[in-house]
Amino acid sequence: MSSSPHAAPFSVAAVPSARPVFVLGCPRSGTTLLQLMLHAHPRIALPPETRFVLPAYEGRLGFGDMAERGNRAGLAQWITGRKETRFHELGVDAGRVAERITDGPPTLGSALGIALRAYAEEHGKARWGDKRPAYALHVAEILRLFPDAQFIHLVRDGRDCVASLLGMPWWHRGFHEAVATWAQVMDTTRTYARELGAGSWHELRFEDLVGEPEAQLRGVCGFLGEEYAPAMREPYRVAGVAVPARKTWHRRTHGALDTSRAGSWATRLTPAQIRLCEAVLGERLVSYGYELAGAVRPDPAELLRYRRVEVLRRAAHAKRRMLDRLARVREPGPVAYQLTTTSEFRA
């Protein structure tokens, strides 16, 4: 599946686009690879994965009314001066960015946009955005901050995502949680794909991206309204800049495209794990073009354990959505960004 089923014919826009670009997907679906491919484009910059967009949105009431300069200054310090936000990994002048946020438009989205755009400017790029797998479950929030955002959803075989997650040093939630994560991401993004349509949502498979990179990247560029750049096929050339050295689990991005990990779930998962994956993910896998191994039904007790994890996970997400709706009532002002490529303020 090389593009969204909702896609329409693409054409490069006569006027270069300035819409922010957001890459998302299930963790371990290849979003870092796609980030690097986009960063290799002469007009697009996607930074190393940060931790300030969603936390800032979720804690927005605590920053106060952005119409007050002092509150913007406090938010600027929160973004640029704390290790937890990983702003320091962007390699930009924190003081200058903080100053621009303080002097900028009075909205949370504007402050976040200034920080992300500073990274693009540091690399001489016109378009900015961000990549984080978690955005897959928070598209509504991203759209509140950046109403004209374009989203690229990278899909990978759920069995491979699960197998890869289980091998990550930072994944401590176990097998059932990994399966439930992929299922939830697929269900949530399918809804957004229908609602946003081809102008704002593009979907492609990891297996197709590494197997036929030029064709897939041409589709991505068409969606973004950009000319295809051959350098995008060599993401390893920018990996040293856009992937922090501490992320050793992304070491494969420093080499040529590797298709060997596609389908590796067959040897990385146990027979019992494969049975559960195909029992609960089978319909979704088939809908995205993945073949099933035909595993027999899992042990009923194992299936029950999974269902409990799935229910708790979705209940937690529903609670976050409810808290978000309550917080919106108390917002002192708008949150959407007010930036253009030529001015800090939108007319």
Side-chain angles (χ1 to χ4, degrees), residues 149-189:
Q150 287 186 287
F151 298 91
I152 305 175
H153 177 214
L154 187 59
V155 178
R156 187 183 183 187
D157 188 320
R159 295 161 295 188
D160 274 333
C161 285
V162 169
S164 186
L165 278 171
L166 295 179
M168 292 297 102
W170 43 264
W171 183 261
H172 308 293
R173 301 178 183 176
F175 167 67
H176 297 107
E177 185 80 19
V179 178
T181 297
W182 191 85
Q184 186 179 19
V185 167
M186 293 304 106
D187 293 346
T188 303
T189 52

Side-chain angles (χ1 to χ4, degrees), residues 68-70 72-74 76-77 97-105 114:
E68 297 184 18
R69 179 183 174 84
R72 295 198 300 276
Q77 179 59 32
V97 172
E99 180 182 334
R100 290 174 64 181
I101 291 173
T102 303
D103 294 338
I114 287 171

Side-chain angles (χ1 to χ4, degrees), residues 73-87:
L75 172 61
Q77 179 59 32
W78 183 92
I79 293 172
T80 64
R82 301 169 64 251
K83 183 177 181 181
E84 292 83 355
T85 65
R86 298 182 183 172
F87 179 86

Side-chain angles (χ1 to χ4, degrees), residues 110-244:
S110 299
L112 299 172
I114 287 171
L116 294 171
R117 195 171 70 179
Y119 180 80
E121 293 171 348
E122 182 73 16
H123 292 272
K125 307 291 187 71
R127 292 187 72 174
W128 52 272
D130 202 7
K131 184 278 293 188
R132 190 179 175 190
Y135 293 153
L137 301 180
H138 297 279
V139 173
E141 292 92 321
I142 298 300
L143 282 172
R144 291 203 72 215
L145 294 167
F146 311 107
D148 61 345
Q150 287 186 287
F151 298 91
I152 305 175
H153 177 214
L154 187 59
V155 178
R156 187 183 183 187
D157 188 320
R159 295 161 295 188
D160 274 333
C161 285
V162 169
S164 186
L165 278 171
L166 295 179
M168 292 297 102
W170 43 264
W171 183 261
H172 308 293
R173 301 178 183 176
F175 167 67
H176 297 107
E177 185 80 19
V179 178
T181 297
W182 191 85
Q184 186 179 19
V185 167
M186 293 304 106
D187 293 346
T188 303
T189 52
R190 185 172 294 180
T191 298
Y192 287 128
R194 289 194 300 266
E195 293 178 353
L196 297 180
S200 296
W201 189 272
H202 184 74
E203 214 161 70
L204 68 159
R205 299 195 320 174
F206 167 80
E207 295 80 5
D208 298 328
L209 180 62
V210 297
E212 46 179 9
E214 182 171 339
Q216 296 302 312
L217 290 170
R218 284 185 180 276
V220 169
C221 287
F223 163 70
L224 296 175
E226 301 287 349
E227 295 284 353
Y228 167 72
M232 299 173 74
R233 288 192 58 183
E234 300 178 326
Y236 61 89
R237 295 187 183 278
V238 296
V241 174
V243 177

